[in-house]
Amino acid sequence: MVTLPGSFAKVGWLEGTILLAGAVTCSTISLSLLDWACDSIDDAVAPTASNKKKKKTMMNPSTTSSYAGLVAHTLGRFGSQALESLTLAFCVGQVVANLGAIGGQISSLLSLTLDGPAVPSTSDCTWFAAICLMFPMSLLPEEGS
């Protein structure tokens, strides 16, 4: 979402719209496949009359209702831990990228009003955005919690 305007500016409106439609299509297909996979596993592990007699250890079908549950069922404990680690790394990367984008925008806006050496660098603006804007906002309680 942060790079969407820049992407449209580089490739143009027509190509940007085509690429965006392609991304929507790929996302829809992947979500449909994920839903299908979860349903398939849930159907396979759902207790039936014959399975109850065998007293096999059954997996709770609600554990595969998410991507993490599907990975844990398919790849086991290591796959689940790898997914959580990669998700954490992705979130940290997103925070760094967003702070860099915000710092760049603040620096650009200040360069319009200030002259010469008085304009702070992008890294200074990034630190300002992190410490003075984002950190206090992260301390606010969430409305839904």
Side-chain angles (χ1 to χ4, degrees), residues 32-52 56-65 70 73:
S32 297
L33 288 173
L34 178 62
D35 185 47
W36 172 76
C38 289
D39 288 343
S40 297
I41 290 176
D42 289 345
D43 290 343
V45 299
T48 60
S50 62
N51 288 342
K52 286 181 182 179
K56 287 184 176 179
T57 304
M58 291 292 165
M59 187 175 164
N60 184 1
S62 65
T63 59
T64 59
S65 62
L70 183 65
H73 177 76

Side-chain angles (χ1 to χ4, degrees), residues 3-18 20:
T3 63
L4 193 58
S7 300
F8 267 83
K10 286 195 185 259
V11 298
W13 283 100
L14 179 64
E15 294 87 354
T17 304
I18 292 170
L20 189 60

Side-chain angles (χ1 to χ4, degrees), residues 25-142:
T25 303
C26 289
S27 295
T28 303
I29 291 170
S30 69
L31 286 174
S32 297
L33 288 173
L34 178 62
D35 185 47
W36 172 76
C38 289
D39 288 343
S40 297
I41 290 176
D42 289 345
D43 290 343
V45 299
T48 60
S50 62
N51 288 342
K52 286 181 182 179
K53 289 178 184 175
K54 294 178 186 176
K55 293 187 178 182
K56 287 184 176 179
T57 304
M58 291 292 165
M59 187 175 164
N60 184 1
S62 65
T63 59
T64 59
S65 62
S66 67
Y67 186 69
L70 183 65
V71 170
H73 177 76
T74 308
L75 299 178
R77 182 176 172 90
F78 175 76
S80 179
Q81 289 176 347
L83 173 69
E84 289 177 12
S85 300
L86 292 172
T87 302
L88 177 64
F90 174 76
C91 290
V92 169
Q94 286 290 29
V95 167
V96 170
N98 285 333
L99 282 174
I102 291 169
Q105 291 174 354
I106 291 173
S107 179
S108 295
L109 290 173
L110 289 176
S111 69
L112 295 174
T113 58
L114 301 174
D115 292 328
V119 177
S121 67
T122 302
S123 62
D124 292 338
C125 291
T126 301
W127 281 108
F128 172 78
I131 294 171
C132 297
L133 297 176
M134 298 307 240
F135 180 68
M137 288 175 58
S138 71
L139 297 176
L140 295 174
E142 291 184 28

